[in-house]
C-alpha cells in the first residue's frame, strides 16, 4: 500500500487573509491589498499587529506613485485609526509608515506629533521616523519647525546624517538665516568627509547668493581666530563669517606635492586625529576581533605587538600577493610583496614594515623551495606575522595599524561586513590618513601615499572654505573641491600665496614635484607625527611564523 496523502487542513479566514496579504506585500500590490482588507473588514476578520504594519508599509511605499497616492493616503490613515481603535499599540515601524503618509499629504505637524507622542507607547524613534516631518518642513520652508524637529532628535539621541543636514542647510539658506547656515556647515564637517553632489550644489548656491555677501565681521580678531584653529586641531575655527563682500566660488583640485588649492593657492591642512579617539577605536577593533576570533589567539597577537611596537607600516600580505593574479598561471606573487617591503624600507629610513598574512598562505610559501630563503630572511628580520589557522587576518592587520598609529598598505576598500561592524565615521577619517594604496604597471611598483592634507571640509583663518566633493573613487589628487573665497579678504590678509602653476581649464594643477619625492616626504612627515616607539631591533621574541617553520 502506498503512503496515504495528507488531508489538507482547511484554512481559517485569518490564515487565508495572512497568506494573501503576504503575497500582496511581496509584489508591492497596493490595490489588491486594499481589496483584501475591505473583504476582511466586512467578514470581521481578526487583525494582528503584523497585518496592520504590512498594510501601512504598502500604503507609505505607494505615495510616490501618482496613480496610487490618493488610494494610499485614504486607506493608510483608515488602517491606522482602526489599529488604535481596537487597542493594538503601534511600534516604531508603524509610526514611521504613518509619518510618511502625513508628510506625503503635506502635514508635517501631524508627522512630528506622531514622533513626539512615541513615548506614550514606550517606543524610541529612529532617523527614518523623524525624517518625514523634518523633510516636509524643509520643503515647505517652515524653517523654525524644522529646527524644532532637529532639537527633538538631539534630545532622543537620533543623530543627523548628510541628507538631513543638507535639507536644514538648504532651508536656512533659502530663508536667509546665515547663522544657521554657518552652523550646519560645521555639522556637515563633523559628519562626512566628502559631500555629495546635491549637497555641493546647495553650498554653491548659498555662497553665490546676495545674503551671503552681506554677512561677516569686518574687524575680526585674527589672533583669536588663529588660536581657535590651533585649539581645534587645525582645519576650522568656528568663530563665524569673516569679512564682507562677494564670494568667489570655483571647482578645483588640490596639489598633493604642496597641499595647496589649485584655484586660490591656499594651503590645505592635515586635521589632527584625537589620540583618545584613536585609542578608543583600537579598543573597539580589539573587542570585535575577540568576539569573532579565538580569544587566546588574538590575545597572543596583542601581547606580541606590545613587545614589537616600532613598526611604522603594516602590510596586508594577501592583498598584495594576489593583486592582478587572476590569470591562468596566476597564484601568489611573492615578488610583488617583496617589492612593497623593500620600497617601504627605503622610503622610511631603513625601517622594516610588518607583513601580516594567514598561516595557510605562509606555510604554502615556506614549502616552496624558491620562496623559502626569502621567507627565512623576513622572519630573521621580524618582518612577518602569520595569523593562526581559522582566523581572519583582516582583524590582525587592521588592529596593528590602528594600535601602532602607522601606515597600512592595502588596496582593500574595507567595506566588508567586518568593517561595517565598526560603524564609525572615525574609521573613514582614519583610513584617509593612514591607508597607502599601490599599483604595479608592467611590474613597476607605485605607492599612493595618503594625501598630506585631510579630505574634509576646511575653514581657514581668513574665512575661506574648501569642500571636498565625493566621487566614485573618493581619492586624491583627482578629487574635485569647492574653493570658496572672498577676494577682498584674501588680498587684505596677504597670507595666501598664488605661486602654483595651473592649467587653463578648471584650475587643475600640474605637479611641481615628482610623485616619488612627494611620497618620500610624506612618509617622513608621517613618522614625525606618530607616537610609535622606534629604535634598533635587538632581541626579538619570535612570531608564530618563526615558531612554525621547523614543522613546515
Amino acid at each position: 500500500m502506498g503512503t496515504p496523502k495528507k488531508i489538507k487542513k482547511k484554512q481559517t479566514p485569518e490564515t487565508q487573509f495572512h497568506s494573501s496579504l503576504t503575497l500582496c506585500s511581496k509584489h508591492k500590490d497596493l490595490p489588491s491589498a486594499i481589496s483584501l482588507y475591505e473583504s476582511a473588514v466586512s467578514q470581521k476578520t481578526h487583525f494582528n499587529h503584523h497585518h496592520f504594519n504590512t498594510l501601512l508599509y504598502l500604503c507609505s511605499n505607494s505615495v510616490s506613485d501618482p496613480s496610487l497616492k490618493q488610494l494610499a493616503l485614504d486607506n493608510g490613515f483608515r488602517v491606522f485609526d482602526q489599529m488604535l481603535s481596537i487597542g493594538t499599540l503601534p511600534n516604531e515601524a508603524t509610526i514611521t509608515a504613518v509619518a510618511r503618509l502625513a508628510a506625503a499629504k503635506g502635514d508635517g505637524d501631524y508627522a512630528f506629533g506622531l514622533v513626539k507622542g512615541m513615548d506614550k507607547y514606550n517606543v524610541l524613534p529612529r532617523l527614518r521616523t523623524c525624517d518625514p516631518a523634518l523633510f516636509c518642513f524643509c520643503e515647505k520652508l517652515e524653517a523654525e519647525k524644522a529646527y524644532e524637529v532637529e532639537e527633538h532628535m538631539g534630545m532622543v539621541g537620533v543623530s543627523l546624517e548628510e541628507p538631513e543636514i543638507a535639507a536644514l542647510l538648504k532651508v536656512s539658506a533659502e530663508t536667509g538665516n546665515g547663522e544657521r547656515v554657518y552652523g550646519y556647515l560645521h555639522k556637515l564637517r563633523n559628519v562626512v568627509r566628502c559631500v555629495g553632489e546635491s549637497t555641493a550644489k546647495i553650498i554653491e548656491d548659498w555662497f553665490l547668493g546676495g545674503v551671503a555677501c552681506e554677512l561677516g565681521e569686518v574687524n575680526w580678531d585674527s589672533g583669536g581666530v588663529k588660536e581657535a584653529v590651533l585649539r581645534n586641531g587645525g582645519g576650522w575655527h568656528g568663530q563665524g563669517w569673516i569679512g564682507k563682500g562677494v564670494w568667489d566660488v570655483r571647482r578645483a583640485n588640490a596639489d598633493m606635492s604642496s597641499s595647496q588649492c589649485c584655484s586660490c593657492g591656499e594651503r590645505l591642512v592635515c586635521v589632527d586625529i584625537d589620540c583618545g579617539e584613536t585609542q578608543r577605536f583600537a579598543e573597539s577593533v580589539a573587542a570585535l576581533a575577540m568576539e569573532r576570533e579565538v580569544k587566546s589567539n588574538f590575545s597572543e597577537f596583542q601581547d606580541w605587538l606590545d613587545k614589537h611596537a616600532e613598526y611604522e607600516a603594516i602590510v596586508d600580505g594577501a592583498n598584495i600577493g594576489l593583486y592582478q593574479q587572476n590569470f591562468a598561471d596566476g597564484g601568489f606573487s611573492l615578488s610583488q610583496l617583496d617589492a612593497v617591503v623593500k620600497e617601504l624600507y627605503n622610503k622610511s629610513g631603513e625601517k622594516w614594515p610588518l607583513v601580516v598574512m594567514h598561516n595557510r598562505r605562509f606555510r604554502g610559501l615556506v614549502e616552496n623551495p624558491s620562496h623559502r630563503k626569502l621567507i627565512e630572511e623576513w622572519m630573521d628580520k621580524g618582518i612577518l606575522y602569520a595569523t593562526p589557522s581559522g582566523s581572519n587576518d583582516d582583524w590582525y592587520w587592521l588592529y596593528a595599524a590602528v594600535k601602532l598609529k602607522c601606515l597600512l598598505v592595502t588596496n582593500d576598500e574595507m567595506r566588508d561586513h567586518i568593517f561595517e561592524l565598526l560603524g564609525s565615521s572615525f574609521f573613514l577619517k582614519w583610513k584617509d590618513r593612514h591607508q597607502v594604496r599601490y599599483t604595479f604597471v608592467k611590474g613597476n611598483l607605485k605607492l599612493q601615499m595618503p594625501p598630506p592634507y585631510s579630505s574634509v571640509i576646511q575653514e581657514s583663518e581668513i574665512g575661506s572654505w574648501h569642500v571636498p566633493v565625493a566621487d566614485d573613487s573618493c581619492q586624491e589628487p583627482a578629487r574635485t573641491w569647492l574653493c570658496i573665497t572672498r577676494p577682498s579678504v584674501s588680498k587684505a590678509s596677504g597670507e595666501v600665496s598664488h605661486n602654483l602653476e595651473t592649467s587653463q581649464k578648471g584650475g587643475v594643477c600640474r605637479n611641481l614635484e615628482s610623485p616619488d619625492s612627494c611620497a618620500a616626504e610624506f612618509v617622513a612627515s608621517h613618522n614625525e607625527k606618530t607616537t610609535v616607539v622606534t629604535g634598533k631591533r635587538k632581541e626579538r621574541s619570535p612570531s608564530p611564523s618563526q615558531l612554525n617553520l621547523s614543522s613546515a
Side-chain angles (χ1 to χ4, degrees):
M1 288 178 63
T3 306
K5 291 184 179 181
K6 289 184 179 179
I7 300 173
K8 202 167 184 180
K9 194 174 180 180
K10 186 177 180 181
Q11 287 189 320
T12 65
E14 285 75 16
T15 55
Q16 286 180 340
F17 173 72
H18 181 91
S19 58
S20 299
L21 183 61
T22 300
L23 198 60
C24 291
S25 177
K26 181 180 178 180
H27 296 292
K28 294 182 173 56
D29 185 354
L30 178 64
S32 295
I34 296 303
S35 176
L36 190 66
Y37 171 67
E38 296 278 5
S39 175
V41 168
S42 66
Q43 295 174 22
K44 298 183 180 180
T45 302
H46 172 72
F47 295 98
N48 62 31
H49 198 280
H50 172 75
H51 299 150
F52 286 122
N53 271 10
T54 300
L55 288 162
L56 289 169
Y57 164 78
L58 280 168
C59 289
S60 65
N61 266 24
S62 300
V63 292
S64 57
D65 184 340
S67 66
L68 296 175
K69 182 176 179 179
Q70 197 56 50
L71 179 70
L73 292 176
D74 292 343
N75 287 280
F77 290 108
R78 179 184 167 201
V79 169
F80 184 54
D81 288 342
Q82 184 187 1
M83 181 180 188
L84 296 180
S85 69
I86 65 172
T88 304
L89 297 180
N91 60 12
E92 182 273 331
T94 313
I95 301 299
T96 297
V98 182
R100 287 173 179 168
L101 290 168
K105 195 178 177 182
D107 194 346
D109 293 310
Y110 187 94
F112 188 32
L114 288 168
V115 175
K116 288 189 290 186
M118 289 177 73
D119 55 344
K120 67 186 177 188
Y121 303 121
N122 212 16
V123 176
L124 290 174
R126 293 165 58 183
L127 183 62
R128 67 176 190 175
T129 326
C130 303
D131 274 351
L134 180 68
F135 289 132
C136 183
F137 288 140
C138 288
E139 287 167 12
K140 296 175 71 175
L141 298 185
E142 295 179 311
E144 293 304 322
K145 290 182 178 181
Y147 302 149
E148 189 183 345
V149 176
E150 181 199 5
E151 184 180 355
H152 183 79
M153 290 168 72
M155 289 170 55
V156 295
V158 176
S159 299
L160 298 172
E161 295 181 2
E162 182 176 353
E164 291 73 30
I165 298 174
L168 288 160
L169 183 65
K170 185 176 182 181
V171 74
S172 300
E174 292 182 354
T175 55
N177 193 331
E179 185 178 344
R180 287 280 187 173
V181 170
Y182 186 83
Y184 288 125
L185 282 173
H186 278 293
K187 286 188 177 184
L188 196 59
R189 177 185 55 76
N190 281 323
V191 169
V192 299
R193 289 170 59 245
C194 307
V195 304
E197 185 58 46
S198 60
T199 306
K201 182 67 168 58
I202 293 169
I203 296 171
E204 283 180 308
D205 290 346
W206 160 255
F207 281 103
L208 292 171
V211 176
C213 299
E214 300 301 318
L215 297 172
E217 184 62 48
V218 177
N219 300 311
W220 69 92
D221 179 6
S222 58
V225 169
K226 183 171 291 211
E227 182 183 334
V229 170
L230 291 172
R231 185 174 61 249
N232 295 332
W236 68 284
H237 56 75
Q239 302 298 296
W241 304 112
I242 288 178
K244 283 189 184 292
V246 296
W247 292 89
D248 185 13
V249 182
R250 300 185 183 186
R251 294 200 173 211
N253 298 111
D255 184 86
M256 284 188 64
S257 62
S258 65
S259 300
Q260 287 176 299
C261 170
C262 298
S263 176
C264 69
E266 194 165 356
R267 187 176 296 276
L268 299 173
V269 302
C270 193
V271 179
D272 286 347
I273 293 180
D274 180 75
C275 290
E277 199 172 3
T278 302
Q279 180 59 32
R280 288 190 293 274
F281 182 55
E283 290 169 359
S284 70
V285 173
L288 284 167
M290 297 278 267
E291 285 179 15
R292 287 158 175 78
E293 297 290 308
V294 176
K295 193 171 182 179
S296 59
N297 288 339
F298 199 79
S299 296
E300 180 185 342
F301 175 64
Q302 289 179 294
D303 293 340
W304 184 87
L305 200 63
D306 286 340
K307 296 172 185 175
H308 304 85
E310 66 270 37
Y311 297 104
E312 293 174 354
I314 308 298
V315 177
D316 178 1
N319 185 266
I320 295 166
L322 297 173
Y323 178 73
Q324 291 185 340
Q325 296 301 302
N326 54 340
F327 53 89
D329 298 323
F332 186 93
S333 176
L334 187 61
S335 61
Q336 287 183 172
L337 188 54
D338 186 39
V340 170
V341 168
K342 288 176 178 175
E343 184 76 356
L344 290 169
Y345 176 78
N346 293 330
K347 286 185 178 295
S348 63
E350 299 187 343
K351 295 183 177 72
W352 292 109
L354 173 65
V355 176
V356 177
M357 71 169 66
H358 194 275
N359 184 52
R360 173 174 48 82
R361 188 81 56 192
F362 163 75
R363 296 182 72 84
L365 293 171
V366 168
E367 290 166 0
N368 187 325
S370 62
H371 294 156
R372 187 180 181 97
K373 183 178 178 182
L374 179 58
I375 295 299
E376 287 176 341
E377 288 177 6
W378 283 1
M379 290 188 296
D380 289 341
K381 293 169 181 173
I383 293 173
L384 189 61
Y385 189 99
T387 66
S389 299
S391 68
N392 185 336
D393 54 335
D394 291 1
W395 288 117
Y396 291 77
W397 51 251
L398 177 62
Y399 175 75
V402 176
K403 178 67 175 177
L404 302 186
K405 304 179 180 69
C406 61
L407 297 170
L408 171 63
V409 186
T410 182
N411 282 351
D412 193 324
E413 289 301 327
M414 291 176 259
R415 292 173 181 156
D416 295 344
H417 67 282
I418 78 158
F419 305 108
E420 290 175 359
L421 292 170
L422 298 169
S424 168
S425 60
F426 179 80
F427 183 35
L428 297 177
K429 191 192 301 182
W430 181 87
K431 277 177 59 181
D432 186 48
R433 286 284 302 276
H434 293 268
Q435 185 174 5
V436 178
R437 293 177 172 84
Y438 62 88
T439 57
F440 284 92
V441 181
K442 295 181 179 178
N444 296 317
L445 168 67
K446 181 179 179 182
L447 295 179
Q448 183 184 330
M449 295 294 169
Y453 50 83
S454 298
S455 297
V456 293
I457 297 174
Q458 300 196 14
E459 177 192 34
S460 77
E461 293 178 17
I462 59 172
S464 60
W465 293 79
H466 287 86
V467 182
V469 182
D471 58 18
D472 291 337
S473 67
C474 265
Q475 294 179 20
E476 302 292 343
R479 179 184 313 290
T480 298
W481 289 70
L482 295 182
C483 168
I484 306 166
T485 60
R486 268 183 164 140
S488 57
V489 177
S490 299
K491 186 177 180 182
S493 70
E495 293 179 15
V496 180
S497 167
H498 294 275
N499 59 356
L500 285 180
E501 292 184 63
T502 59
S503 69
Q504 297 299 314
K505 293 183 180 180
V508 179
C509 292
R510 293 194 293 269
N511 286 334
L512 305 181
E513 301 177 26
S514 70
D516 287 344
S517 68
C518 176
E521 288 174 9
F522 180 73
V523 170
S525 68
H526 186 280
N527 293 342
E528 290 171 6
K529 292 173 186 173
T530 60
T531 57
V532 177
V533 179
T534 59
K536 291 184 179 179
R537 289 185 175 84
K538 295 182 181 177
E539 294 183 3
R540 284 183 165 274
S541 56
S543 74
S545 308
Q546 293 164 297
L547 294 174
N548 291 337
L549 179 61
S550 60
S551 60

